Amino acid sequence: MKRSLAGVLMLMALGLAYAKDKPMNGVSEKVALASREGKVLVTLTVSNKTAQPIYLWKVTYASKQLFGPEFEISVAGSAAPVNYIGPVVKRAPPGPDDYVKVEPNGVHSNTIDITGAYDFLPGKHRYRLSHTGSYVLSLQQLDNPVAIKPASARFTHTQEAQPAEQ
């Protein structure tokens, strides 16, 4: 009896570990990066494979620039963070007009230029960017966001050295 109980508990633990790695709710996010012509462009693509609409915060999913440290960026192969140096905007709590709707089985993409928002190292370096997005299921429950499984990507960026101040 002890052996079969231990086996069942082990299978349950393995099942829970597997479930943590799989999106259970049908909403997923993909991060794509392009570093060209001195710019770093991040494209967030959210897929809604559920039977109901979801709502994404426009500041993240419809803006072309950042208004706060939305991404975690580090130098690849180290834990050295790349600091956010862009604008930080204080906002009132979001209202229903601050969200974009994604229909059932729909997809929404947005590209943001983050070049001037992070303190990239001078020269050519590899970076790792990660993002944990969220959505709400109802515009009447904006204080109950649902986290999306974190997405990440690696990219190479060449930052021109800043001229010395005189």
Side-chain angles (χ1 to χ4, degrees):
M1 179 73 174
K2 283 185 180 181
R3 242 187 189 165
S4 61
L5 179 59
V8 168
L9 291 175
M10 181 181 271
L11 284 174
M12 287 174 60
L14 286 172
L16 288 174
Y18 177 77
K20 281 184 183 178
D21 293 336
K22 299 293 177 192
M24 298 296 287
N25 55 19
V27 177
S28 63
E29 179 176 72
K30 179 182 171 194
V31 173
L33 285 127
S35 176
R36 60 181 178 264
E37 300 174 5
K39 294 189 179 246
V40 179
L41 304 174
V42 178
T43 301
L44 300 174
T45 302
V46 176
S47 298
N48 177 14
K49 301 295 182 198
T50 69
Q52 69 182 72
I54 62 168
Y55 301 89
L56 303 171
W57 195 35
K58 285 181 181 177
V59 168
T60 302
Y61 294 100
S63 296
K64 297 302 174 198
Q65 71 179 58
L66 293 177
F67 298 101
E70 192 68 38
F71 304 104
E72 290 184 27
I73 303 176
S74 61
V75 177
S78 81
V82 176
N83 293 321
Y84 179 80
I85 58 172
V88 177
V89 176
K90 290 188 179 190
R91 302 178 176 281
D97 291 340
D98 296 318
Y99 288 83
V100 61
K101 183 178 185 179
V102 182
E103 295 290 348
N105 296 308
V107 175
H108 177 81
S109 288
N110 184 46
T111 300
I112 306 167
D113 182 350
I114 67 165
T115 311
Y118 286 88
D119 192 15
F120 293 105
L121 298 173
K124 185 176 182 177
H125 297 278
R126 288 221 11 101
Y127 297 95
R128 180 179 182 275
L129 177 144
S130 62
H131 181 256
T132 302
S134 66
Y135 62 93
V136 293
L137 293 170
S138 167
L139 294 176
Q140 286 70 46
Q141 295 182 346
L142 299 179
D143 59 346
N144 193 18
V146 178
I148 302 172
K149 181 180 175 184
S152 65
R154 292 181 185 267
F155 65 103
T156 300
H157 176 62
T158 302
Q159 180 71 32
E160 297 296 322
Q162 300 297 321
E165 290 187 29
Q166 297 177 350

